[in-house]
Amino acid sequence: MLNAMKQPRNVSLFKDLSDAEYKELEPYLATSEIKKKETIFSEGEPPEWFYVVLSGKVKITKLSQDGKEIILEVISPTDIFGGVAVIKGFPYPANAVAMEDSEILKISRKNLMRLVDRFPNLMYCMAMQLGDRMKSSYDSLKNIALERVEARIAALLLKLAGKIGKETKEGLVIDMRLTKQDVADMVGTTVETSIRTFSKFKKQELVSEVDGKIVIKDRDGLASFSS
C-alpha cells in the first residue's frame, strides 16, 4: 500500500486533472519497485516507457569515452524522466539507475501518446518539467566547462538542497546519501579532488555530514564559491 506522499494522484504532473479525468487516466498507470543499483533503462534502448519517481532517487548517467560514469541528473520524488525520448520516439539517450530502493510510476509510450492527446494539460505540465530539466542540464554542463571544481561542487550542493533539502537543527540536510564518488561523477572531477574540496568546506564550517548525508551549515558561505 502506497502512503500519502507516494500516491500517484499527488504527482504534480496530474495536478491540473479533475478527479473524473484522473480516474479515466488511472488504468494506464503502473507502479514498480526498483532495488538500489538496478538499471531502469540503458542508453540506446527503445523508449517503451515514460517514468515518474514516487519514492527514492534515480540517477541519469552516461559513460565517458574512457568508460567513466558521469551523473547528469538526480531524479527525486514527483520528477519525471525518459520523457523526451518517449515523445520524440528516439532511443533513450542515457541510462537510468536507482540510487536507492525506489518506487516508480510508468506509462507505456503507446498509452502516453493517447493520454496527452486526450488531456492537453498533461502535455503542458510535461513540457514545463522538461523545459526546467533542460535548463538545469545546460547550467550543469556550463559549470563543468567554465567553473573551477570548488564552484561546481558548491553549486551542485546548493542545487540539490533546493530540490530535496530539509531544515534541521544541524543545518540544511540534503536528503539522500551521496558518496564523494557520486559528487565527483556529477561535476566531472576525480574522487580525490572531491574529497579535498569537502575537507576544505568542512574546515571552513560550510558543510558537515550526519548519517552519511551532507548538511549545509552556511548557505551564504557556500554560495560565495559558486557565484
Side-chain angles (χ1 to χ4, degrees):
M1 178 69 68
L2 295 176
N3 66 34
M5 291 300 293
K6 297 182 187 176
Q7 288 289 352
R9 183 65 175 112
N10 296 330
V11 170
S12 58
L13 189 63
F14 308 136
K15 64 182 173 60
D16 290 332
L17 298 179
S18 68
D19 288 343
E21 287 173 331
Y22 179 76
K23 192 168 184 178
E24 185 179 337
L25 174 146
E26 197 169 17
Y28 299 99
L29 308 179
T31 59
S32 297
E33 293 186 358
I34 308 295
K35 295 296 184 184
K36 181 178 179 179
K37 297 185 178 179
E38 185 176 342
T39 298
I40 300 164
F41 59 72
S42 298
E43 181 176 355
E45 289 182 351
E48 296 179 352
W49 297 92
F50 166 82
Y51 299 92
V52 182
V53 175
L54 296 179
S55 68
K57 306 287 187 303
V58 172
K59 61 182 177 180
I60 305 300
T61 72
K62 286 182 77 75
L63 292 180
S64 65
Q65 289 186 339
D66 60 3
K68 184 177 182 296
E69 181 183 75
I70 300 171
I71 300 177
L72 302 177
E73 190 73 36
V74 174
I75 312 298
S76 50
T78 78
D79 284 346
I80 65 176
F81 62 105
V84 173
V86 167
I87 291 171
K88 300 295 287 185
F90 55 69
Y92 291 121
N95 312 293
V97 181
M99 297 185 77
E100 56 192 48
D101 290 350
S102 304
E103 187 151 21
I104 58 173
L105 177 149
K106 59 184 185 178
I107 307 172
S108 71
R109 181 173 189 269
K110 180 176 67 175
N111 286 334
L112 182 69
M113 302 315 288
R114 292 174 181 166
L115 292 170
V116 295
D117 185 55
R118 172 73 180 84
F119 305 113
N121 279 339
L122 196 62
M123 187 65 201
Y124 174 77
C125 288
M126 285 178 61
M128 292 296 289
Q129 288 198 36
L130 291 171
D132 289 344
R133 179 80 46 75
M134 290 176 72
K135 181 180 184 304
S136 176
S137 297
Y138 170 78
D139 289 343
S140 296
L141 290 171
K142 183 176 70 173
N143 285 339
I144 288 174
L146 301 178
E147 301 289 348
R148 67 189 190 281
V149 173
E150 288 176 353
R152 290 176 353 224
I153 291 179
L156 170 67
L157 297 181
L158 291 168
K159 173 184 170 183
L160 291 174
K163 286 183 65 177
I164 54 175
K166 290 187 176 180
E167 291 287 358
T168 70
K169 61 182 180 181
E170 288 86 8
L172 184 60
V173 176
I174 296 174
D175 192 25
M176 65 182 295
R177 285 180 169 79
L178 281 174
T179 67
K180 303 302 184 294
Q181 184 67 64
D182 289 334
V183 172
D185 292 343
M186 293 174 81
V187 301
T189 190
T190 64
V191 67
E192 293 81 10
T193 301
S194 177
I195 291 169
R196 284 198 300 271
T197 302
F198 269 95
S199 294
K200 180 176 181 177
F201 287 171
K202 286 178 180 178
K203 285 179 182 176
Q204 296 185 16
E205 298 187 342
L206 302 177
V207 303
S208 63
E209 291 185 69
V210 176
D211 297 329
K213 295 182 180 180
I214 298 166
V215 182
I216 297 177
K217 300 173 69 175
D218 182 353
R219 269 174 276 188
D220 290 340
L222 200 60
S224 69
F225 278 92
S226 64
S227 58

